[in-house]
Amino acid sequence: MLLVAGMMALLACLQVAAAPATYSGEAPVTSQSEAERAGALKSALADVVIRLSNDPGILARGDVASAVADADKYVLQYRYRRDNGIDEASGAATTRLVLVAEFDSSAVDRMLAGLGLAGAGAATPVDSTPVERQIWISGIRSADDYARGMGYLARQSLVRQAWPLQARGDGILVRLSVAGGLDRWLETVDREGVLRVNSASPPLEGIDATLMLSP
């Protein structure tokens, strides 16, 4: 009861600020060291530039390579994701660490325009018309769990706003404003691994999806 009361107190005051539109890029890493992170951010931005220009050889241009080298000017946030898999040769379990970076789409677009690449197969940024949906998140057993779950929503690139509405048992009801639609958001969230999707269409009135906080 004390936990629920504490969570409800947080519900009354917590608002997640709207996130800016971003382009996402990824790069594999071996550690979370600062030195390796700098190189991974450049690789992640290179991934974005190649995708938007639709030209795998675009980095051969010196001016493009120089712009990508300044990746820290465009990054808004980054996180690390662990991808679990199976080694095909040995059958042993493997884990790959990946840096996922979110770059300011407006700044990247300006950079591309300055390089004469504007409109060259550019993808649509993720700031498409947001939709509002209600989700249920279970696995919230402590104040730390609550802070981790809501903190993730605050940082998640497709979330524009989140309103915690209700706490009951080990779960919370949250109203979300998400860019690009709920299905796209659920796919992204399940891939990132902080929250796992239980059902994308639960038979529950007023709840559009159920998720669980990962341990």
Side-chain angles (χ1 to χ4, degrees), residues 31-196:
S31 72
Q32 298 184 24
S33 70
E34 183 175 352
E36 189 168 7
R37 182 166 63 247
L41 287 173
K42 295 175 185 177
S43 296
L45 181 57
D47 175 50
V48 170
V49 171
I50 290 171
R51 188 169 70 245
L52 296 181
S53 66
N54 198 28
D55 182 356
I58 194 65
L59 294 180
R61 282 180 45 177
D63 55 348
V64 176
S66 295
V68 167
D70 290 329
D72 57 329
K73 294 181 179 179
Y74 305 99
V75 68
L76 294 174
Q77 61 183 18
Y78 63 85
R79 59 188 177 279
Y80 292 93
R81 187 185 73 231
R82 293 189 181 276
D83 291 343
N84 298 318
I86 300 294
D87 182 85
E88 294 183 0
S90 65
T94 61
T95 299
R96 184 179 73 148
L97 187 63
V98 178
L99 178 139
V100 182
E102 306 294 342
F103 298 98
D104 184 329
S105 65
S106 297
V108 171
D109 287 343
R110 288 193 297 271
M111 178 261 285
L112 293 176
L115 295 169
L117 298 175
T124 302
V126 297
D127 62 335
S128 53
T129 303
V131 298
E132 290 189 6
R133 297 291 185 268
Q134 292 190 172
I135 63 168
W136 181 263
I137 303 175
S138 59
I140 308 294
R141 299 182 176 86
S142 68
D144 286 343
D145 287 343
Y146 177 84
R148 185 159 66 94
M150 293 304 299
Y152 168 73
L153 294 179
R155 297 186 300 274
Q156 211 286 323
S157 62
L158 298 181
V159 173
R160 296 294 173 259
Q161 200 165 15
W163 303 269
L165 301 176
Q166 182 185 126
R168 185 175 68 251
D170 72 340
I172 56 174
L173 180 66
V174 180
R175 175 174 285 275
L176 292 178
S177 173
V178 294
L182 183 65
D183 289 343
R184 176 183 178 182
W185 182 75
L186 290 174
E187 291 176 3
T188 302
V189 166
D190 206 42
R191 186 170 63 247
E192 291 174 350
V194 177
L195 299 174
R196 293 296 186 185

